[in-house]
Amino acid sequence: MRAAIHALKYDRLAPLARALGARLAVAIEQLAVEDAPKDMLVVAVPLHRGRLAERGFNQARSLATEALKVLRRRHPEWRLELSSRTLVRQRSTESQAGLTPRQRRLNLRGAFFVSDSEAVRGRHILLVDDIYTTGATARACSRILIEAGAASVRVATLARAQRRVPLPVREGRSFIKLETPSSTIH
C-alpha cells in the first residue's frame, strides 16, 4: 500500500487513483455499520495552491472522486456530495514526512480555513485523505470544520501509517512493527 500511495502522490501516477479509490470505498462502506449519516458532504484534505500546481492534482480529491463513483453505484440511497472548495489550505506547509507529532501540529496551525460556512453548517462531513499518520492533519481540518458549524466530522483514509513500538531488546530487536488495516475509518 505504501508503494502505491507513494506512486500516486510523488510519481504522479494518477491512474492509480481508480484502484485505490475503490479500496477507500470499502473503508467508507464500513461507516454504514457504525450508523453514520447517509447524507454527508465529502471534503478532501486540500493542498496549498503551490503544491497543487507542482503536483498537478490533489491525491486526496482524486481518491474521494473515485471512491464516490463506486459508492454511488453500490449505495444509490446514500447522498454523498463532493465539496469543491469548502476547505482551503491557506498557507503552504512543510511536508509532514519526518516531522514529530508536535512538529506536525505546529506545522498545520492556521493552515486551513472554511471558505463557505453555510456549506458546512449543520452538515455531517466525511473528510478524506490518503494516509493517517499521527492524526494532526485530520484534527486540524476537523477542528476548523466543526468551528464553521459542521454537525460532525468523520475521517476516511486509504491507509494508516505503521508505528514502531519500543520493546525490551530481545534477540537483537529493539522495535516491532504493528500491522494495521490498509483502509481505515477514524
PDB file of all heavy atoms in Angstrom, residues 97-109:
ATOM      1  N   ALA A  97       6.175  14.525   6.319  1.00  0.00           N
ATOM      2  CA  ALA A  97       7.074  13.367   6.405  1.00  0.00           C
ATOM      3  C   ALA A  97       8.306  13.720   7.236  1.00  0.00           C
ATOM      4  O   ALA A  97       8.953  14.744   7.020  1.00  0.00           O
ATOM      5  CB  ALA A  97       7.488  12.914   5.012  1.00  0.00           C
ATOM      6  N   GLY A  98       8.591  12.900   8.201  1.00  0.00           N
ATOM      7  CA  GLY A  98       9.783  13.085   9.022  1.00  0.00           C
ATOM      8  C   GLY A  98       9.595  14.001  10.224  1.00  0.00           C
ATOM      9  O   GLY A  98      10.513  14.153  11.031  1.00  0.00           O
ATOM     10  N   LEU A  99       8.430  14.630  10.352  1.00  0.00           N
ATOM     11  CA  LEU A  99       8.192  15.520  11.488  1.00  0.00           C
ATOM     12  C   LEU A  99       7.662  14.726  12.678  1.00  0.00           C
ATOM     13  O   LEU A  99       6.955  13.738  12.520  1.00  0.00           O
ATOM     14  CB  LEU A  99       7.192  16.615  11.123  1.00  0.00           C
ATOM     15  CG  LEU A  99       7.583  17.586  10.010  1.00  0.00           C
ATOM     16  CD1 LEU A  99       6.472  18.611   9.799  1.00  0.00           C
ATOM     17  CD2 LEU A  99       8.896  18.281  10.317  1.00  0.00           C
ATOM     18  N   THR A 100       7.974  15.196  13.875  1.00  0.00           N
ATOM     19  CA  THR A 100       7.427  14.584  15.088  1.00  0.00           C
ATOM     20  C   THR A 100       5.956  14.973  15.195  1.00  0.00           C
ATOM     21  O   THR A 100       5.512  15.933  14.548  1.00  0.00           O
ATOM     22  CB  THR A 100       8.167  15.093  16.343  1.00  0.00           C
ATOM     23  OG1 THR A 100       7.874  16.490  16.502  1.00  0.00           O
ATOM     24  CG2 THR A 100       9.665  14.849  16.260  1.00  0.00           C
ATOM     25  N   PRO A 101       5.191  14.281  16.045  1.00  0.00           N
ATOM     26  CA  PRO A 101       3.783  14.665  16.215  1.00  0.00           C
ATOM     27  C   PRO A 101       3.624  16.134  16.613  1.00  0.00           C
ATOM     28  O   PRO A 101       2.744  16.828  16.086  1.00  0.00           O
ATOM     29  CB  PRO A 101       3.295  13.727  17.322  1.00  0.00           C
ATOM     30  CG  PRO A 101       4.126  12.493  17.127  1.00  0.00           C
ATOM     31  CD  PRO A 101       5.481  13.022  16.743  1.00  0.00           C
ATOM     32  N   ARG A 102       4.453  16.628  17.511  1.00  0.00           N
ATOM     33  CA  ARG A 102       4.365  18.035  17.923  1.00  0.00           C
ATOM     34  C   ARG A 102       4.673  18.968  16.754  1.00  0.00           C
ATOM     35  O   ARG A 102       3.989  19.962  16.535  1.00  0.00           O
ATOM     36  CB  ARG A 102       5.312  18.318  19.090  1.00  0.00           C
ATOM     37  CG  ARG A 102       5.218  19.752  19.585  1.00  0.00           C
ATOM     38  CD  ARG A 102       6.130  19.996  20.803  1.00  0.00           C
ATOM     39  NE  ARG A 102       5.926  21.308  21.350  1.00  0.00           N
ATOM     40  CZ  ARG A 102       6.432  22.432  20.836  1.00  0.00           C
ATOM     41  NH1 ARG A 102       7.178  22.384  19.748  1.00  0.00           N
ATOM     42  NH2 ARG A 102       6.191  23.601  21.393  1.00  0.00           N
ATOM     43  N   GLN A 103       5.715  18.652  15.988  1.00  0.00           N
ATOM     44  CA  GLN A 103       6.081  19.470  14.829  1.00  0.00           C
ATOM     45  C   GLN A 103       4.955  19.470  13.789  1.00  0.00           C
ATOM     46  O   GLN A 103       4.698  20.492  13.155  1.00  0.00           O
ATOM     47  CB  GLN A 103       7.376  18.954  14.206  1.00  0.00           C
ATOM     48  CG  GLN A 103       8.604  19.214  15.047  1.00  0.00           C
ATOM     49  CD  GLN A 103       9.829  18.470  14.515  1.00  0.00           C
ATOM     50  OE1 GLN A 103       9.727  17.365  13.995  1.00  0.00           O
ATOM     51  NE2 GLN A 103      10.991  19.094  14.669  1.00  0.00           N
ATOM     52  N   ARG A 104       4.299  18.347  13.635  1.00  0.00           N
ATOM     53  CA  ARG A 104       3.183  18.259  12.692  1.00  0.00           C
ATOM     54  C   ARG A 104       2.052  19.188  13.109  1.00  0.00           C
ATOM     55  O   ARG A 104       1.482  19.893  12.285  1.00  0.00           O
ATOM     56  CB  ARG A 104       2.668  16.816  12.598  1.00  0.00           C
ATOM     57  CG  ARG A 104       3.584  15.906  11.841  1.00  0.00           C
ATOM     58  CD  ARG A 104       3.138  14.444  11.966  1.00  0.00           C
ATOM     59  NE  ARG A 104       4.058  13.580  11.270  1.00  0.00           N
ATOM     60  CZ  ARG A 104       3.784  12.958  10.128  1.00  0.00           C
ATOM     61  NH1 ARG A 104       2.607  13.094   9.563  1.00  0.00           N
ATOM     62  NH2 ARG A 104       4.676  12.192   9.549  1.00  0.00           N
ATOM     63  N   ARG A 105       1.710  19.166  14.401  1.00  0.00           N
ATOM     64  CA  ARG A 105       0.631  20.047  14.887  1.00  0.00           C
ATOM     65  C   ARG A 105       0.993  21.512  14.663  1.00  0.00           C
ATOM     66  O   ARG A 105       0.170  22.304  14.198  1.00  0.00           O
ATOM     67  CB  ARG A 105       0.368  19.790  16.375  1.00  0.00           C
ATOM     68  CG  ARG A 105      -0.397  18.524  16.652  1.00  0.00           C
ATOM     69  CD  ARG A 105      -0.858  18.441  18.096  1.00  0.00           C
ATOM     70  NE  ARG A 105       0.190  18.647  19.078  1.00  0.00           N
ATOM     71  CZ  ARG A 105       1.019  17.709  19.531  1.00  0.00           C
ATOM     72  NH1 ARG A 105       0.919  16.478  19.077  1.00  0.00           N
ATOM     73  NH2 ARG A 105       1.939  17.993  20.428  1.00  0.00           N
ATOM     74  N   LEU A 106       2.227  21.887  15.001  1.00  0.00           N
ATOM     75  CA  LEU A 106       2.661  23.276  14.825  1.00  0.00           C
ATOM     76  C   LEU A 106       2.702  23.663  13.346  1.00  0.00           C
ATOM     77  O   LEU A 106       2.349  24.776  12.972  1.00  0.00           O
ATOM     78  CB  LEU A 106       4.037  23.489  15.470  1.00  0.00           C
ATOM     79  CG  LEU A 106       4.073  23.382  16.992  1.00  0.00           C
ATOM     80  CD1 LEU A 106       5.512  23.450  17.499  1.00  0.00           C
ATOM     81  CD2 LEU A 106       3.223  24.458  17.633  1.00  0.00           C
ATOM     82  N   ASN A 107       3.130  22.737  12.515  1.00  0.00           N
ATOM     83  CA  ASN A 107       3.219  22.968  11.083  1.00  0.00           C
ATOM     84  C   ASN A 107       1.853  23.293  10.476  1.00  0.00           C
ATOM     85  O   ASN A 107       1.746  24.093   9.551  1.00  0.00           O
ATOM     86  CB  ASN A 107       3.820  21.714  10.423  1.00  0.00           C
ATOM     87  CG  ASN A 107       4.109  21.878   8.953  1.00  0.00           C
ATOM     88  OD1 ASN A 107       4.557  22.926   8.495  1.00  0.00           O
ATOM     89  ND2 ASN A 107       3.864  20.833   8.199  1.00  0.00           N
ATOM     90  N   LEU A 108       0.798  22.675  11.027  1.00  0.00           N
ATOM     91  CA  LEU A 108      -0.548  22.847  10.471  1.00  0.00           C
ATOM     92  C   LEU A 108      -1.354  23.951  11.128  1.00  0.00           C
ATOM     93  O   LEU A 108      -2.448  24.272  10.667  1.00  0.00           O
ATOM     94  CB  LEU A 108      -1.308  21.524  10.568  1.00  0.00           C
ATOM     95  CG  LEU A 108      -0.750  20.408   9.694  1.00  0.00           C
ATOM     96  CD1 LEU A 108      -1.424  19.089  10.015  1.00  0.00           C
ATOM     97  CD2 LEU A 108      -0.896  20.751   8.228  1.00  0.00           C
ATOM     98  N   ARG A 109      -0.817  24.531  12.197  1.00  0.00           N
ATOM     99  CA  ARG A 109      -1.562  25.577  12.912  1.00  0.00           C
ATOM    100  C   ARG A 109      -1.896  26.726  11.957  1.00  0.00           C
ATOM    101  O   ARG A 109      -1.025  27.302  11.317  1.00  0.00           O
ATOM    102  CB  ARG A 109      -0.745  26.085  14.090  1.00  0.00           C
ATOM    103  CG  ARG A 109      -1.549  27.047  14.953  1.00  0.00           C
ATOM    104  CD  ARG A 109      -0.824  27.405  16.210  1.00  0.00           C
ATOM    105  NE  ARG A 109      -0.822  26.250  17.104  1.00  0.00           N
ATOM    106  CZ  ARG A 109       0.030  26.076  18.091  1.00  0.00           C
ATOM    107  NH1 ARG A 109       0.961  26.953  18.332  1.00  0.00           N
ATOM    108  NH2 ARG A 109      -0.038  25.005  18.847  1.00  0.00           N
TER     109      ARG A 109
END
